[in-house]
Amino acid sequence: MRFARLGPVGSEIPVLETDDAVYDLRSITDDITGAFLAAGGLETAALALAAGTLHPLPDASALRVGAPITTPSKIVCIGLNYRDHAEESGAAVPTEPVVFMKDPGTIVGPFDDVLIPRDSVKTDWEVELGIVIGSTARYVESHVEALACVAGFVLSHDVSEREFQLERGGQWDKGKSCETFNPLGPALVPAGEVPDPQALGLRLSVNGVLRQNGSTANMIFPVAEIVRYLSQFMVLRPGDLINTGTPAGVALGIEGQPYLRDGDVVTLEIDGLGTSTQRFVNA
C-alpha cells in the first residue's frame, strides 16, 4: 500500500496505490496534508480500502505523478550522515547530526524537470531516504516514541549547488534551496510497510552510469535518533519532511567528476519506495 498524488501541478488527486489498482481518495480527503496524516488518514484510507468503499481512479497511468505530500511547514536535512560521504567530502565524521533547512517550496514531482540555477557550475545529486512526520514530535525521549511519530518514508532527491553551498559565504541553505531542488516520490510508503528503515538500498545513476550505491544501514545517525534529536531543538509537525543524508558517490567527492549540465538525466531508487527520474535543464 502506497500513497501518491496524481495530476497537473496544483490540481493533484490523492490516491492509494496497491499492486493491482489505483484508488481515488477524494471521498475521504481533499489532499495528503499534514492534517490528514495527524488525523490518522493513512489508517482511515486502509480501512476504506478493506471495506471496498474506495473507487479506482480512471486513466491513472496517464496522469503526471506529483510529490506524494503537499508542501510541508519545513524540510529539515541531515548533512554528512554516511561515513563514506563525510570522508569523500573531506569532512570530519560528525559526533552530532549536522542540521540545515531547505525551502519547502523546492519540492516537485519525482519525474518533473529540475532547473539548473543561473550561474551554476556545481549542481550535484544526492539520493536520500525521506522521513514524513505523522504526529507532533516535541522533546521526544526515546527511539520508540520517535518512530511512533513517523507517518512513512519517501524517496527524496536533495539536489545541491556546491559553489553556492560551500564557497559563497559558508551558508548551506542557499546551495540547497534553489527552485525545484527537491524532487520527491513517487509515493509515500507508510512506516508499517517498511520493516526496517535501516536496511534499505539506495542507488542513483547519471545518464545511465551508476554513481551512488549505498545502504541506510550505514547511516551514522539512524532514523529514530534523527527524529529524537531534532525534537530537542524544534517542533516537528505532521507533514514535515526530513532528508536523512546521502551515501558516497556525489560529484563533490570524485575528483574530475563533472557536475550536472543541461540535458543530463538522473535516476534514483530506494528499495521498497520506488524510482524517480529527472531531466536537468537550464533555468
Side-chain angles (χ1 to χ4, degrees), residues 23 111 115 130 164 169 183 197 229 262:
Y23 296 92
F111 304 102
L115 301 177
F164 297 178
Y229 181 88
D262 184 58

Side-chain angles (χ1 to χ4, degrees), residues 72-96:
S73 70
K74 57 184 170 292
I75 302 174
V76 189
C77 302
I78 307 300
L80 304 172
N81 195 30
Y82 288 74
R83 187 176 301 273
D84 56 1
H85 175 53
E87 291 171 349
E88 73 172 354
S89 302
V93 175
T95 56
E96 288 191 52

Side-chain angles (χ1 to χ4, degrees), residues 99-233:
V99 180
F100 61 93
M101 310 294 284
K102 186 163 183 152
D103 176 9
T106 57
I107 290 178
V108 295
F111 304 102
D112 292 347
D113 288 349
V114 174
L115 301 177
I116 298 174
R118 292 182 182 180
D119 301 321
S120 168
V121 294
K122 294 183 179 180
T123 294
D124 204 349
W125 56 82
E126 292 190 32
V127 59
E128 305 205 5
L129 174 66
I131 304 168
V132 177
I133 296 297
S135 59
T136 301
R138 178 191 291 109
Y139 296 117
V140 171
E141 295 184 355
S142 71
H143 285 179
V144 171
E145 184 183 355
L147 291 175
C149 294
V150 175
F153 300 96
V154 65
L155 170 59
S156 187
H157 191 178
D158 178 22
V159 185
S160 308
E161 212 299 341
R162 301 301 190 185
E163 184 186 42
F164 297 178
Q165 176 188 354
L166 302 171
E167 303 172 36
R168 299 286 297 276
Q171 219 289 357
W172 283 26
D173 292 19
K174 64 177 175 285
K176 299 283 189 172
S177 293
C178 302
E179 185 180 10
T180 72
F181 262 28
N182 204 141
L184 194 68
L188 170 65
V189 178
E193 303 272 331
V194 181
D196 184 356
Q198 304 308 145
L200 302 176
L202 308 87
R203 292 164 292 279
L204 179 147
S205 64
V206 180
N207 299 326
V209 178
L210 185 66
R211 296 299 184 190
Q212 291 185 275
N213 186 12
S215 170
T216 57
N218 296 322
M219 282 183 179
I220 297 169
F221 305 103
V223 166
E225 176 58 15
I226 289 169
V227 174
R228 187 208 66 79
Y229 181 88
L230 290 175
S231 77
Q232 310 306 307
F233 303 94

Side-chain angles (χ1 to χ4, degrees), residues 6-25:
L6 307 179
V9 176
S11 300
E12 291 91 347
I13 298 167
V15 299
L16 184 157
E17 300 176 343
T18 68
D19 291 339
D20 302 316
V22 177
Y23 296 92
D24 193 333
L25 289 179

